[in-house]
Amino acid sequence: MKRFGVIALAMAAAVHSLPAAAMDADAADKLVRKSKCLTCHAVDKKKDGPSFKESAEKYRGKPEAMDKLTKHVTVPSKVKVDGKEEDHETLKTDDPAAVKNVVEWILSR
């Protein structure tokens, strides 16, 4: 019976040490393009908006990163572009997993 307990404990530890589902870069890129994010943003160059790399650097190591970026890409808001206030578009999806994937993709830059 003790051996069963040891085996069960080892299996539980192994399951908890498995990595979470990997971010799908292709799906993130596809949704970013569909949502027309690349009109104002680029992966590594500043356009009208900051690059995804710049956003990743801004939030790196901050516990609120996921929440703040998720809100930014899902809740309509205003942003300043060349001194003028404009609407910031949201991701074209209602799928929370797809949103999470895009935010993880941005933060991985």
Side-chain angles (χ1 to χ4, degrees):
M1 193 65 169
K2 282 185 180 183
R3 187 167 26 160
F4 176 75
V6 171
I7 292 170
L9 250 154
M11 287 177 66
V15 167
H16 287 291
S17 68
L18 291 174
M23 178 258 309
D24 184 342
D26 290 336
D29 182 67
K30 185 176 179 181
L31 182 54
V32 162
R33 290 178 188 283
K34 174 184 170 188
S35 303
K36 300 187 182 320
C37 301
L38 297 175
T39 301
C40 298
H41 301 276
V43 172
D44 58 0
K45 291 183 245 180
K46 181 162 178 44
K47 290 175 89 173
D48 286 336
S51 70
F52 296 135
K53 182 178 178 180
E54 185 179 336
S55 294
E57 289 169 0
K58 175 181 177 180
Y59 289 107
R60 189 159 289 124
K62 295 185 179 175
E64 72 275 8
M66 285 294 296
D67 289 339
K68 285 197 176 228
L69 282 176
T70 298
K71 183 178 178 182
H72 188 66
V73 300
T74 59
V75 177
S77 62
K78 299 282 187 184
V79 293
K80 288 210 178 203
V81 177
D82 295 330
K84 294 187 296 186
E85 203 169 73
E86 295 186 11
D87 292 328
H88 185 269
E89 298 296 324
T90 59
L91 288 174
K92 307 287 187 241
T93 186
D94 292 327
D95 180 4
V99 171
K100 181 178 185 279
N101 188 60
V102 167
V103 171
E104 288 175 345
W105 179 77
I106 291 169
L107 291 172
S108 75
R109 304 291 92 201

